[in-house]
């Protein structure tokens, strides 16, 4: 059974049919919407690498999935997002208070899952989990702060997405390895692999927002441009632009009278002239290469590493 | 140094002056507002009973205080409460998103504190903490559910306040005893003491809302009546009333044309006629007696139990 199949099966065993229904139904609703289950699968894949018993890593893997969905639930409230995975978000389907309280309970449920772990490794897993959870909240706060700041650098942005996206993937891998008994060096290599694929993943996301095929890309193309989001694309454009180009870009983004499609086209044109896409792809490839180099530190046969190698390479080609 | 002084000193050592400030400032603001610090003090008092080292119980005690303040912070968002402890609530002083995110981080901070505990008792403390935290969310959900239900019994109400108020006091006491090495029987007795003083405390709150002296009672007298809140007072009134009195009470509470003071006076009159206050005080005294009986199971000299005895007796006399 693949790690993904193992997670899909076991997540369905979690029981949310209990009272008070108003608290637990939104949790079931959120967790049953699917998604890739990438984070718990990574924990199992890392454990598999070192011959760990799947049932021993399972509580931590599920905790990561429940935690990830908790962050999405509360983020959707804060962003007033109406839809998630093709369904109304919890604060729309129920109300905001329900989304807050059921979200809080999901965070507690994640810790309940952690408390099922073997007691000899539990404190260490808990400590790493807490560090990761803190970093994710910090990343979310930086993301909010950056919206109203005009001095964000590319390094600020990378720091923010490292916290907001990468550390959860990295923690999943490290935790899986730790529970399976891998040594500190191996844990650290997997952690760094996770950080780097997370960064590559986010950069690809930023590129696809501009250059994605509207038919295969999940979201509307150009959304980041219309929201004047300080993505890697935009920050790179400002970094590459001369004074005139920078002023032009700024003026277009600030122009509220432009039609959406015209604005997207104008910004994309500047990106094309500056070679922003190529620059971004170059940096993304560098993160992928770095991720693959981390895997080599594990000194494991290539066939064992196939899933993680494929995952990193897949990032370079994904279209959605 | 008393347990209360010990907590006041140590809570001020927690460092919240770190970036991103937007995440941590609201936490500092919330925790610096004071309050009785009853929950962490109870953990220390319980540990003291069994000769526990204060620095060993401290992380758990602080975790309880941070957790308690997290629940207040998110409850205030859900209740749209403008003021807490004489200051604007976080969602007023900052905004709702800040209150959600900083609240989430406070919950994580509580777990970070727990992860500082001795590893030999950490898993057990974590398990009890998770159970308590879950019960508090469930209690909050029942409280919300009850608002729109017409069939709430006195037992439903007691179940709800047990979850919403009592289990946190009970957990504080049990956890303090556990960390100090008390046996299961002693832990359980302190847990039950906590449950019972929590219930007595809430009943006294319900009584004071009607009969409190406006000059010494912290809140406006009659607030529960105006909000048609299903308190122990109201549920007891319905239980004691004949058909005519019940219908009259219902009509008064549903009458939106009545002036607030007239409505409070009319409901209070019915309470007086039915002897609701006396019934409530009787039940409250029974919980206090039960709490004191639990203390006897500890087989400790009276002078050691003085703080906990005084706390239970104080509940019978408090005016605010």
């Amino acid at each position: 059974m693949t790690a993904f199949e193992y997670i899909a099966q076991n997540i369905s065993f979690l029981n949310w049919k209990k009272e008070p229904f108003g608290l637990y139904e939104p949790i079931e609703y959120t967790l049953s919407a699917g998604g890739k289950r990438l984070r718990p699968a990574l924990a199992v894949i890392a454990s598999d690498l070192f011959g760990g018993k799947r049932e021993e890593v399972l509580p931590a893997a599920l905790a990561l999935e429940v935690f990830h969905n908790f962050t999405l639930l509360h983020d959707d409230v804060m962003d007033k997002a109406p839809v998630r995975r093709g369904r109304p978000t919890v604060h729309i389907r129920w109300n905001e208070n329900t989304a807050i309280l059921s979200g809080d309970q999901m965070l507690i449920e994640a810790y309940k899952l952690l408390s099922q772990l073997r007691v000899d490794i539990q404190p260490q897993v808990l400590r790493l989990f807490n560090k990761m959870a803190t970093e994710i909240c910090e990343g979310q706060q930086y993301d909010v702060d950056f919206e109203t700041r005009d001095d964000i650098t590319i390094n600020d942005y990378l720091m923010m997405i490292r916290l907001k996206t990468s550390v959860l993937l990295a923690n999943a891998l490290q935790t899986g390895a730790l529970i399976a008994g891998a040594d500190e060096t191996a844990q650290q290599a997997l952690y760094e692999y996770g950080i780097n694929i997370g960064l590559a993943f986010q950069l690809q996301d930023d590129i696809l927002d501009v250059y994605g095929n509207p038919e295969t890309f999940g979201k509307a193309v150009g959304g980041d441009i219309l929201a004047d989001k300080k993505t890697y694309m935009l920050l790179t454009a400002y970094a590459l632009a001369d004074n005139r180009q920078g002023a032009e870009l700024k003026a277009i983004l600030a122009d509220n009278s432009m039609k959406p499609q015209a604005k997207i086209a104008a910004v994309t044109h500047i990106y094309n002239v500056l070679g922003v896409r190529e620059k971004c792809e170059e940096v993304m490839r560098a993160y992928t290469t770095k991720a693959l180099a981390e895997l080599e530190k594990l000194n494991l046969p290539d066939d064992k590493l196939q899933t993680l190698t494929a995952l990193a390479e897949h990032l370079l080609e994904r279209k959605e």
Side-chain angles (χ1 to χ4, degrees), chain A:
Chain A
M1 202 189 306
T2 70
F4 288 92
E5 288 162 351
Y6 181 71
I7 292 299
Q9 185 182 84
N10 280 283
I11 207 158
S12 69
F13 293 153
L14 295 174
N15 175 29
W16 307 109
K17 302 239 177 289
K18 50 188 176 184
E19 292 195 70
F21 299 128
L23 183 66
Y24 293 110
E25 268 176 6
I27 298 179
E28 176 164 50
Y29 177 81
T30 303
L31 289 173
S32 66
K36 291 182 296 294
R37 316 283 193 208
L38 176 60
R39 291 147 193 87
L42 286 176
V44 173
I45 290 167
S47 164
D48 284 353
L49 285 182
F50 303 97
K53 292 191 186 134
R54 282 186 166 178
E55 65 271 24
E56 290 194 354
V57 75
L58 182 63
L62 294 177
L64 289 160
E65 182 67 5
V66 171
F67 174 81
H68 175 57
N69 280 276
F70 144 74
T71 65
L72 299 180
L73 179 45
H74 274 192
D75 281 2
D76 283 344
V77 176
M78 296 189 257
D79 296 343
K80 307 206 178 301
V83 173
R84 163 78 60 189
R85 291 171 183 153
R87 306 194 307 182
T89 44
V90 170
H91 64 276
I92 297 291
R93 171 92 157 69
W94 284 270
N95 55 58
E96 218 172 86
N97 286 357
T98 296
I100 295 172
L101 188 63
S102 291
D104 290 346
Q105 183 56 31
M106 282 179 87
L107 179 49
I108 294 164
E109 294 286 346
Y111 284 103
K112 284 172 86 167
L113 284 159
L114 291 183
S115 86
Q116 294 174 16
L117 290 170
R118 272 173 23 221
V119 296
D120 61 320
I121 42 103
Q122 200 183 113
Q124 208 181 338
V125 172
L126 179 64
R127 196 174 50 76
L128 295 176
F129 187 93
N130 287 335
K131 180 170 172 287
M132 174 276 292
T134 297
E135 289 175 335
I136 287 192
C137 285
E138 292 178 351
Q140 171 67 13
Q141 183 65 43
Y142 282 119
D143 198 11
V144 170
D145 291 346
F146 288 2
E147 274 177 35
T148 54
R149 275 178 53 189
D150 266 336
D151 58 346
I152 305 308
T153 64
I154 287 179
N155 276 342
D156 290 333
Y157 180 74
L158 290 173
M159 179 272 287
M160 185 272 284
I161 59 171
R162 184 185 181 284
L163 294 172
K164 212 183 146 162
T165 303
S166 286
V167 295
L168 186 45
L169 305 174
N171 174 272
L173 289 152
Q174 176 174 14
T175 296
L178 186 163
I179 295 173
D183 65 25
E184 186 65 39
T185 313
Q187 288 177 39
Q188 214 48 49
L190 280 168
Y191 186 89
E192 289 301 327
Y193 163 88
I195 292 291
N196 283 282
I197 61 163
L199 292 171
F201 185 91
Q202 184 60 51
L203 292 199
Q204 179 71 309
D205 229 40
D206 289 1
I207 296 169
L208 287 173
D209 185 81
V210 181
Y211 293 104
N213 179 343
E215 283 170 27
T216 55
F217 188 53
K219 301 173 263 186
V221 168
D224 289 346
I225 292 173
L226 296 178
D228 194 8
K229 248 196 126 186
K230 293 171 193 92
T231 66
Y232 200 87
M233 297 291 281
L234 181 59
L235 296 169
T236 302
Y238 280 126
L240 294 173
D242 60 26
N243 286 347
R244 187 190 54 77
Q245 289 166 319
E248 193 189 348
L249 184 54
K250 203 161 187 160
I252 293 169
L253 287 166
D255 184 348
N256 292 323
S257 70
M258 271 179 104
K259 289 212 174 115
Q261 286 315 316
K263 186 180 272 198
I264 293 169
V267 172
T268 304
H269 176 72
I270 296 180
Y271 286 176
N272 289 341
V273 170
L274 294 170
V276 169
R277 178 182 192 164
E278 292 68 25
K279 178 69 192 165
C280 238
E281 281 176 345
E282 185 191 309
V283 175
M284 188 184 80
R285 266 194 301 273
Y287 284 124
T288 308
T289 304
K290 178 79 168 46
L292 293 170
E294 292 292 338
L295 291 185
E296 283 180 25
K297 295 186 188 167
L298 297 176
N299 288 320
L300 287 168
D302 282 356
D303 63 316
K304 277 209 151 190
L305 293 171
Q306 208 181 348
T307 312
L308 294 180
T309 309
L311 181 69
E313 284 166 353
H314 165 75
L315 290 175
L316 298 174
E317 282 138 46
R318 79 188 171 97
K319 299 277 175 288
E320 47 165 11

